[in-house]
Amino acid sequence: MDTFSYLGQGFGVALSPYNLFTALCGTLIGTIVGLLPGLGPINGVALLIPIAFALGLPPETALILLAAVYLGCEYGGRISSILLNIPGEASAVMTTLDGYPLARQGKAGVALSISAWSSFVGGLMATCGVVLFAPLLAKWAVAFGPAEYFVLMVFAITCLAGMAGNKPMKTAIACCIGLLLSCVGIDSNSGVYRFTFGSLGLADGIQFVVLVLGLFSVSEILVLLERTHHGQKAIEAKGRMLFNLKEGLSVLATNLRSGAVGFGLGILPGAGATLASAVAYMSEKRLATKDNKFGEGDLRGLAAPETANSASACGSLVPMLTLGVPGSGTTAVMLGALTLYNITPGPLLFQNQPDIVWGLIASLFVANIMLIVMNVPMIKIFTKILAVPYWALVPAIAIITSIGVYAVHATAFDLYLMIGIGVAGYILRKMDFPLSAILLGFILGGLMEQNLRRALSLSNGDLSILWSSSISLAVWALVAMMVALPIWRIWRARRKAATLQSAS
């Protein structure tokens, strides 16, 4: 049987009434979980695995449910990012950069509809990629070893600083703060306590939920309180709830490019949607003309990370199914679900159990269609969040935030740490430091350290392994370009100012 015959067989599985209902439940649950800050797809999928197993769901139905939740979380994460400037998960951080400014301009409906459409395009492109290129791309992903991954993380960080417009130094400092925070806790190799200052609460490091909710949620609460006076209301969503044809066409090229970037990075084990959204956003910012409004409410800046998020989520299933290697944290949890059903992922899975594999792949098409059909009519409901008065919105955000943080370890220390991080984040915001750069540095810091250690272990401490392969050399060349870019921009600006001064 060829690929399309197998795909037809998969649609026979995915379109059965029982599996359709399961996918519908999964997309709805995923959207709600993604909407709530601090949960994210990993928690959503992890919570449903024991439920699916206890209900006795067949393996193909259980995987369809988990995949639908995964995609639903990627859709839902954009809602709080755009409306409240609070990313529901790490991959939604880049969405806040242009999504929230659009909401503040009264274009919340347009922003939500563009993001939903972008997620749909990204998911559709990546699912087609899974069907057509899974075996070939899995072989390509094997070429990336720990040294190549380390260089890729360095490139992501230098990209962020290089694309920072008129404040590359502040962005670089913010990235370094994030890298420093990622070092807090016990060293997994030596067992040495690092930067814990004798506190047992920091022994496990700073949890992502604590950092993201402190930086974004608590600091946003302080900003809202600063702007609030008696009787003031939140931002009003005015005008259209859906984007028009002109706006859709303006982001079409961005959708296509970001979908390809998201899928390409999604199939790399461990890269994940966070890296994909950051690279897609910064690539589009680099390609944009001088009159772009990235960071101030540019639709392309919203479409790029949202397209890459969904494309990466679908693409991360490729290494899980073909190699048995999780492409992201969520697929690592899904891999555990496969073991519960005594299913061994790998190349033989496509031959031995095609119903499971191709049923899952076909369900990705179904889930994406369900999500766009479900989310677009609910945009008007979502924007009602903006009509809530600040005196009611601020306590609600504080309560949800506190519950999300307390649920991690059930300790008051995490709450105090979140408040401290939030106050520091508020001060950094007043000083015009980009908080998203801190979060990206924190997320990539752990991955950088792990891959650097693995690379040096393979080479017995020889640093030349970091530039010994052609892939590493190519990425290092890109790193050099990104380091030189802000220097060149500053030089050009000074030269232009000097020319104008001499002319006057």
Side-chain angles (χ1 to χ4, degrees), residues 144 146-160 179 268-272 275 279 440-441 443-449 451-452 475 479:
F144 273 73
E148 287 77 13
Y149 276 116
F150 172 77
V151 183
L152 189 63
M153 305 302 168
V154 174
F155 173 64
I157 290 177
T158 53
C159 269
L160 190 63
L179 291 172
L268 298 176
L275 182 63
V279 171
L440 187 66
I443 295 165
L444 297 180
L447 295 171
M448 286 178 68
E449 182 180 7
N451 285 293
L452 179 61
V475 180
V479 169

Side-chain angles (χ1 to χ4, degrees), residues 4-48:
F4 292 102
S5 298
Y6 280 122
L7 183 61
Q9 183 179 336
F11 272 112
V13 175
L15 294 178
S16 69
Y18 186 57
N19 287 336
L20 275 176
F21 178 73
T22 302
L24 179 63
C25 292
T27 52
L28 180 61
I29 293 170
T31 302
I32 295 171
V33 170
L35 171 63
L36 298 174
L39 291 181
I42 295 179
N43 292 319
V45 171
L47 288 171
L48 280 176

